[in-house]
Amino acid sequence: MANLGILKGLNITMIKHPNSLKVLGPLEELCQRAKKTNCPVVLYDGPVRLLCPMAPNNVNTMAGAAIAAHNLGFDNTRAKLIADPAMTNWHIVEIEVVGENGFRTITRRENPAAPGAVTGNTTYFSFLASIQETLYKPPGINIC
């Protein structure tokens, strides 16, 4: 859709236990609030570009999506980061893709993860599959 110029919006929401978030600056205080109140707290809602330096360990999925959505980029790909103390067994990523003429699709990934884990359990298998796939690609950066 990005290559055709018909990708009109990309929104990524990540929901994790506060202990799984390695955030800096103003997000750190909000994350602590989630721990104290035992309630979900939206730490950030805005362009991916501004979130990257405040949550460098937690934005790989968002940054990768912004690169793939090259017609939107880091400034027009939207990120929402939520600290939820109830996420004791999961990391959740919701991706909303918006196209022309009312097209919209939402994908939700529930990845098993312990509180405090930055990466979910099945992410390692995805990473391994990506490495294996590179054996058949030309040198350089390849987006699958």
Side-chain angles (χ1 to χ4, degrees):
M1 290 177 71
N3 287 345
L4 297 173
I6 60 172
L7 180 62
K8 301 301 179 189
L10 180 59
N11 305 300
I12 303 128
T13 300
M14 291 184 136
I15 308 167
K16 295 183 175 187
H17 190 278
N19 291 339
S20 295
L21 296 166
K22 311 302 180 216
V23 293
L24 305 170
L27 302 188
E28 190 172 10
E29 183 180 326
L30 291 170
C31 195
Q32 292 301 321
R33 183 184 310 159
K35 291 178 187 179
K36 290 176 185 172
T37 63
N38 208 31
C39 293
V41 173
V42 175
L43 304 184
Y44 180 83
D45 188 357
V48 170
R49 181 179 305 279
L50 299 178
L51 178 60
C52 289
M54 294 188 287
N57 295 334
N58 300 108
V59 295
N60 293 344
T61 298
M62 295 173 175
I67 291 168
H70 56 82
N71 66 322
L72 300 175
F74 282 78
D75 293 318
N76 292 309
T77 299
R78 304 286 301 176
K80 184 184 280 188
L81 187 60
I82 300 172
D84 186 349
M87 290 289 111
T88 56
N89 297 311
W90 303 98
H91 290 170
I92 295 177
V93 178
E94 295 177 340
I95 300 174
E96 178 187 26
V97 176
V98 179
E100 293 183 331
N101 303 316
F103 174 85
R104 183 173 158 250
T105 187
I106 297 174
T107 302
R108 178 181 168 104
R109 180 182 82 182
E110 297 180 359
N111 194 353
V118 174
T119 301
N121 300 343
T122 57
T123 302
Y124 298 108
F125 297 114
S126 175
F127 182 68
L128 176 60
S130 295
I131 290 173
Q132 290 174 326
E133 185 69 25
T134 63
L135 297 173
Y136 308 103
K137 301 283 185 189
I141 296 175
N142 296 281
I143 297 177
C144 304

